[in-house]
Amino acid sequence: MSARIVIVGAGAIGGYFGAHMARAGLDVTLIDAWPEHVEKVRRDGMTVEGLSGERFTVPADIRHIGDVQGFVRERPIDIAFIAVKSYDTLWATQLVVPYLADDGVVVSLQNAINEGAIASIAGARRTYGCAINALACELVGPAHVRRMSPKGDISVGAVEGADPARCAEIAAALDHAEASKPIGNLIGVKWSKLVINSMRNGLSAMTGMTGRERDSDPVTMALGMRLGGQAVRIGRALGYPLVNTGFDFDTLVAAERGDAGAIDAIRLRMAEIAGARSGDQRPSMAQDIGKGRRTETDAINGFIAQKGRDVGIDATPHGRVHQLILRIERGELQPSPELARGII
């Protein structure tokens, strides 16, 4: 019998992967908190658009949060993916843990490093995580996900005591959407992805820029290099075995420290990445600001700033980005490129 899969959070990421799994015939159930979204998926199916014009619509089993109590009468969950915002991790995990099979697992399919929060409820041996590289999606309306980037890849691992068969099963489910593989170095790869998020996501949220605008403007490019280089140095100080993700990390650190050749190399790489994405692409935090919602800044730039303090590395730019985004969330400031100039 195939695994029963549940995805908590059927937005841009959860909806994207859920639709691909449903299209492949997997036993997948989506859960979401947006009533209009749930009802439209039930009525019309989930539509996914790609960067190159590809499009499909697939029927999907989707439930309101209030329907989850009914899982007590259904087959237990083998794999529960958590695809909500980082700050919603705890309640989302608690929502599904009572319905897990005896050997069921919970998998973070999120930005940032949330495996510890999941493990605090599900237990470390039942906690797995994913590092998603180069995927940008947006929920542009109820039941409608649009991919804004080329295909990337996903790494799957465990907090401790990984079951190789379970890692392979999780990767196989995700592979219907993105090339996926099991790994042993989950924390190193997760921090490596956090480096990239820290130099992009918050900057677009703070400035109002698209990804392409952010990676073409000299000021935000320079600030992005500082943020990225600091994040690499903090991860290494924490003892994490980082892997180059998007950029050569040694070059990124050299650019942060002012090496002219390294700066030119990172600028060129930024331009290459920006040119491969849709001109309308905005990272998730910028989408949140545009919709008047809370962002994940606590789990990205704020988190790195705190870890920098823990290991004695100055991460003031991360802290300033974090504080400016909090002020934008509260309505005290408006997103503007001038905010980046104030940090530089």
Side-chain angles (χ1 to χ4, degrees), residues 206-224:
M206 183 180 73
T207 62
M209 292 175 162
T210 65
R212 186 173 293 178
E213 290 168 342
R214 178 204 60 222
D215 288 346
S216 304
D217 180 88
V219 173
T220 47
M221 292 172 78
L223 181 52

Side-chain angles (χ1 to χ4, degrees), residues 32-49:
D32 204 74
W34 184 12
E36 292 84 359
H37 179 49
V38 173
E39 291 305 314
K40 185 166 176 57
V41 173
R42 285 177 170 177
R43 185 175 64 249
D44 301 327
M46 182 79 81
T47 296
V48 175
E49 288 184 314

Side-chain angles (χ1 to χ4, degrees), residues 117-129:
I118 292 172
S120 71
I121 294 172
R125 288 190 172 273
R126 301 179 87 175
T127 301
Y128 288 70

Side-chain angles (χ1 to χ4, degrees), residues 71-72 92 113 120 155-156 166 221 234 266 320-321 330:
F71 283 6
V72 71
I113 299 174
S120 71
S155 299
V156 178
R166 184 63 90 183
M221 292 172 78
I234 292 167
I266 296 298
R320 294 190 65 186
V321 169
R330 295 193 295 265

Side-chain angles (χ1 to χ4, degrees), residues 299-321:
I300 300 180
N301 296 99
F303 179 72
I304 291 174
Q306 179 58 59
K307 289 297 183 180
R309 290 189 288 272
D310 291 346
V311 298
I313 293 177
D314 181 20
T316 299
H318 283 279
R320 294 190 65 186
V321 169

Side-chain angles (χ1 to χ4, degrees), residues 75-318:
R75 179 183 165 200
I77 300 166
D78 298 300
I79 303 171
F81 289 100
I82 305 299
V84 296
K85 297 294 185 181
S86 294
Y87 48 77
D88 286 329
T89 300
L90 289 172
W91 70 256
T93 304
Q94 187 62 67
L95 184 70
V96 293
V97 161
Y99 310 105
L100 288 179
D102 290 342
D103 61 347
V105 298
V106 184
V107 187
S108 172
L109 191 62
Q110 303 165 280
N111 280 329
I113 299 174
N114 301 309
E115 287 76 11
I118 292 172
S120 71
I121 294 172
R125 288 190 172 273
R126 301 179 87 175
T127 301
Y128 288 70
C130 302
I132 306 173
N133 182 35
L135 175 63
C137 291
E138 183 174 354
L139 186 66
V140 295
H144 188 180
V145 175
R146 181 176 297 150
R147 184 191 175 96
M148 311 294 278
S149 63
K151 288 282 186 178
D153 59 82
I154 302 176
S155 299
V156 178
V159 169
E160 66 175 54
D163 176 354
R166 184 63 90 183
C167 273
E169 185 178 30
I170 294 166
L174 296 169
D175 198 62
H176 291 290
E178 302 286 304
S180 303
K181 64 181 184 299
I183 59 166
N185 174 29
L186 178 63
I187 186 60
V189 176
K190 290 282 287 189
W191 189 278
S192 301
K193 175 61 190 304
L194 185 64
V195 170
I196 305 306
N197 274 337
S198 77
M199 58 191 291
R200 291 175 169 171
N201 222 322
L203 282 189
S204 282
M206 183 180 73
T207 62
M209 292 175 162
T210 65
R212 186 173 293 178
E213 290 168 342
R214 178 204 60 222
D215 288 346
S216 304
D217 180 88
V219 173
T220 47
M221 292 172 78
L223 181 52
M225 290 181 213
R226 290 182 64 186
L227 295 170
Q230 288 173 358
V232 169
R233 291 192 290 113
I234 292 167
R236 288 173 171 172
L238 288 165
Y240 300 152
L242 306 188
V243 296
N244 291 333
T245 303
F247 300 92
D248 180 89
F249 281 179
D250 288 338
T251 305
L252 189 57
V253 170
E256 180 220 348
R257 290 173 168 162
D259 182 278
I263 290 170
D264 288 343
I266 296 298
R267 282 178 175 165
L268 179 61
R269 180 63 182 142
M270 284 181 169
E272 290 174 349
I273 295 170
R277 295 192 169 201
S278 165
D280 298 329
Q281 183 267 331
R282 295 177 187 274
S284 58
M285 282 171 58
Q287 296 173 35
D288 292 335
I289 291 294
K291 296 173 182 177
R293 302 187 307 205
R294 182 182 175 188
T295 73
E296 294 179 295
T297 183
D298 288 338
I300 300 180
N301 296 99
F303 179 72
I304 291 174
Q306 179 58 59
K307 289 297 183 180
R309 290 189 288 272
D310 291 346
V311 298
I313 293 177
D314 181 20
T316 299
H318 283 279

